[in-house]
Amino acid sequence: MSSEESEFGIIGMAVMGQNLALNIEQSGYRVSVYNRTDSKTKDFKQKRASDRDIVATYELEEFISSLERPRKVLILVKAGKPVDMVIDQLLPLMEEGDIIIDGGNSHFQDTNRRVKKVEGEGLHYLGTGISGGEYGALHGPSIMPGGHREAYDEVSEILRSAAAQTPEGPTCKYLGPRSAGHYVKMVHNGIEYAVMQSIAEVYWAMKNLLDLSHEDMADRFEAWNQRLDAYLMEITVEILREEDEKTGRPLLEVILDTAKQKGTGKWTSQSALDLGVPVPTITAAVDARLLSARKDQRGRLDELYGELGNYETYEGFEDDLGKALYLSIVTAYAQGLDLLEEASEEYNYGLDIQDVAQIWKDGCIIRSDLLDPISESYSSEGLDTLLASEEFQDDYREAIPSLRKVVSALSKTDLICLALSASLNYFNSLTAERLPANMIQAQRDYFGAHTYQRVDEEGTFHTEWQDIKNV
Ligand code: 6PG
C-alpha cells in the first residue's frame, strides 16, 4: 500500500457523512470523501477538515483510486433510488474483494437485492444501520452491520473505533448475513416511534389534565428518567425547557402539531404483519403520526365534536403517569425484540439479542439503561418475551395498575392514548389465558364453514349454524 492511500472512503457529504468522516479520521484513519455536488466537498474540506487527514476528491475515479485495497466505501446518501444509482456508478470502478457499505436507512428487502447484485460482481456488500443522528455520527454512533462475515472483519476495526464506547465494548458488532443489520436498524426505529409517542401522550396528559407548566413537566420527566437514563427522555426535558426567541413562549407551544415520517416505523409494522408478530404500540405510533398529519380535517371535526371533551382534575395522578410511561416504553422494546426473534428465525439471521442490546446501549436514539436488564433477560435460555423475564416481572406487577388508571382516565376525555392503550392491551392480551377469540372462530365457521376447535376435544369441528334451505 502506498502511504498516500486512504483506508476508508465515504460517499455523500451531507451532515452525517461529514461527521462520520471526521469521527473516523479522529480514530486514526485517513479518509477519502466524495459528493455528487463538488461544492459540498469543497466547503467541508475548507471549513471543517482543512487540518485533517481527509482527502477531498471530485471525480468518482479519483475517489476510488485514492483508496487502499480492498477498498472500503461507505455510502451515506438518501435511502431508495440514490443508493442504487451510486452502486451502479461504483461497480465498474471497483474490483473483486472491495467492500461497499450502505450506512443509510435502507429497506431490508432492498438490501437483500443489492447484496445479490454486488456479491454477483465479486464484491462485498454490508447493509449497515447507523443511529445517533448528527451528534452520534461525530462522537460515536451505534452501528448495526450485516452482510458478508469476512468483509465485516475487514472493516470491523474502523467501524468499532468510530462507534460509541461502553465499558462492555464498542456499540458495533456483526449481526448476521444479508440484511440483518438493516432489519435491526428498522426495528430500532420502530421502537423509537413507540417510545416517542408514549412520551408525547404523557406530556399531553400532564399539560391538559394536570395543567402543569413546561418547567414543571420537564422536572417530572427528568425525575422519571433517573430510572431509565433514556436519550429520548433526556431530550424531552430539554425540549420542554426551550424558550422561543421570537415570542418568549415555550418553543414547544409554537411548533405545529403534525409529525412527519420517512417510513422506517411503517416498515416495522408492515414487516411485523407479514411475519405475524403483534407490535401494537409501534403501529399505534405510526397511526398517531398519520392522524396528526390530518390537520385540516382535525380542525373541522373539532368544531363538530369539540364540546364532548370532558376534563376533570386528577389528583395523585402524576406518579401513575410516570409508571405508565415506564411500562409503555418497556413494552415497546418487548414488541420490537419479539419481532427481531421471529425475523431472525424466518430470515436465518442468527441474531443474538444480547449483541443487539449491547449495540443499542449507547450512541443510538433508543439508548437507555433499560438495555442492561434487557440483555440480562436474554441471557436465560428460551426466553420468548420480555414480559416473562425475571428482570421485568416486578416492574409489570408494580406499574400495570398505573397504566390501567392512566388509560382509563384519558379515555374519559378527548385526549389521546393510542400508544399507552396499545401497550396495555398488548399486556392484557398476552397475559390472558382466555380471549374472546372463541367468538371469532364461531363467526368464521358460521359464515364460511371454516371450522373451529373445541376446548374439551381434539380435532376440527363444524356446526350447521343455520338451516340453509330456510334462509
Ligand atoms: C437514528 C434515527 C434516524 C432518523 C430517523 C427519523 O437512529 O439516528 O432513527 O435514522 O432520525 O430515520 O425517522 P422518521 O423521519 O421516520 O421519524
Side-chain angles (χ1 to χ4, degrees), residues 75-90 100-107 110-111 113-114 125 182:
I75 310 177
L76 278 169
V77 299
K78 221 167 167 261
K81 275 244 153 59
V83 177
D84 289 310
M85 281 165 57
V86 173
I87 293 173
D88 286 343
Q89 289 166 351
L90 283 175
I100 298 176
I101 308 161
D102 171 15
N105 276 330
S106 291
H107 193 287
D110 283 339
T111 300
R113 174 174 56 75
R114 291 169 186 148
Y125 195 81
H182 275 144

Side-chain angles (χ1 to χ4, degrees), residues 105 131-133 185 188-189 192-193 261-264 289 365:
N105 276 330
S131 175
K185 176 58 169 56
H188 164 285
N189 282 29
E192 173 185 303
Y193 272 53
Q261 51 186 321
K262 291 206 206 84
T264 42
R289 289 202 194 184
I365 305 296

Side-chain angles (χ1 to χ4, degrees), residues 411-444:
S411 304
K412 287 182 198 151
T413 73
D414 61 359
L415 302 173
I416 59 154
C417 53
L418 279 135
L420 296 174
S421 63
S423 293
L424 177 61
N425 280 298
Y426 179 79
F427 175 85
N428 285 349
S429 300
L430 262 192
T431 57
E433 207 256 317
R434 297 213 63 182
L435 285 170
N438 48 343
M439 176 60 92
I440 310 292
Q441 286 227 61
Q443 289 166 334
R444 290 180 76 244

Side-chain angles (χ1 to χ4, degrees), residues 220-235:
R220 303 302 185 276
F221 277 113
E222 194 166 37
W224 295 333
N225 198 31
Q226 302 271 324
R227 183 179 191 184
L228 285 161
D229 197 14
Y231 171 73
L232 284 169
M233 291 284 278
E234 212 176 286
I235 65 169

Side-chain angles (χ1 to χ4, degrees), residues 20-306:
L20 265 172
L22 293 168
N23 177 352
I24 291 172
E25 190 268 353
Q26 179 79 25
S27 313
Y29 301 95
R30 170 175 287 183
V31 183
S32 288
V33 297
Y34 171 82
N35 192 77
R36 195 165 47 110
T37 324
D38 285 3
S39 54
K40 269 209 174 148
T41 317
K42 205 171 272 168
D43 262 22
F44 168 62
K45 181 65 191 167
Q46 273 171 8
K47 294 191 182 135
R48 301 188 70 197
S50 58
D51 56 347
R52 309 287 289 264
D53 199 6
I54 291 180
V55 183
T57 65
Y58 299 96
E59 297 291 337
L60 257 188
E61 290 78 1
E62 179 197 359
F63 169 76
I64 291 295
S65 57
S66 74
L67 299 171
E68 72 171 43
R69 293 190 60 195
R71 301 182 182 94
K72 304 162 191 80
V73 174
L74 172 64
I75 310 177
L76 278 169
V77 299
K78 221 167 167 261
K81 275 244 153 59
V83 177
D84 289 310
M85 281 165 57
V86 173
I87 293 173
D88 286 343
Q89 289 166 351
L90 283 175
L91 284 179
L93 302 175
M94 294 178 84
E95 290 165 278
E96 212 171 303
D98 286 351
I99 302 161
I100 298 176
I101 308 161
D102 171 15
N105 276 330
S106 291
H107 193 287
F108 73 98
Q109 274 155 353
D110 283 339
T111 300
N112 285 334
R113 174 174 56 75
R114 291 169 186 148
V115 165
K116 267 201 192 131
K117 177 170 172 164
V118 173
E119 302 274 336
E121 301 279 327
L123 279 73
H124 297 305
Y125 195 81
L126 297 172
T128 300
I130 301 180
S131 175
E134 295 168 13
Y135 182 92
L138 188 60
H139 298 285
S142 167
I143 304 182
M144 294 156 247
H148 198 277
R149 174 77 225 204
E150 277 134 48
Y152 170 74
D153 291 340
E154 290 279 352
V155 297
S156 148
E157 208 181 290
I158 300 177
L159 296 184
R160 280 168 71 83
S161 61
Q165 308 295 319
T166 76
E168 293 78 34
T171 55
C172 170
K173 270 187 170 185
Y174 176 76
L175 284 167
R178 294 162 278 109
S179 54
H182 275 144
Y183 199 94
V184 170
K185 176 58 169 56
M186 177 188 78
V187 173
H188 164 285
N189 282 29
I191 297 173
E192 173 185 303
Y193 272 53
V195 174
M196 289 165 76
Q197 181 61 24
S198 302
I199 291 175
E201 290 174 9
V202 167
Y203 142 69
W204 205 230
M206 269 201 282
K207 181 174 160 53
N208 291 288
L209 289 184
L210 303 181
D211 208 18
L212 293 184
S213 70
H214 283 67
E215 193 49 50
D216 284 344
M217 289 191 273
D219 290 346
R220 303 302 185 276
F221 277 113
E222 194 166 37
W224 295 333
N225 198 31
Q226 302 271 324
R227 183 179 191 184
L228 285 161
D229 197 14
Y231 171 73
L232 284 169
M233 291 284 278
E234 212 176 286
I235 65 169
T236 301
V237 173
E238 285 180 20
I239 289 168
L240 283 162
R241 289 191 176 139
E242 191 74 28
E243 197 176 89
D244 176 35
E245 276 175 14
K246 286 190 191 145
T247 60
R249 292 167 62 193
L251 181 57
L252 201 52
E253 294 273 277
V254 295
I255 294 182
L256 193 70
D257 54 333
T258 61
K260 298 206 168 86
Q261 51 186 321
K262 291 206 206 84
T264 42
K266 177 184 78 180
W267 296 345
T268 309
S269 289
Q270 285 174 329
S271 175
L273 282 176
D274 286 342
L275 297 178
V277 179
V279 292
T281 312
I282 295 172
T283 306
V286 178
D287 281 339
R289 289 202 194 184
L290 296 175
L291 286 159
S292 83
R294 298 188 163 200
K295 182 76 176 160
D296 290 345
Q297 191 180 38
R298 283 163 40 207
R300 275 183 277 119
L301 292 171
D302 192 20
E303 277 179 27
L304 264 185
Y305 296 110

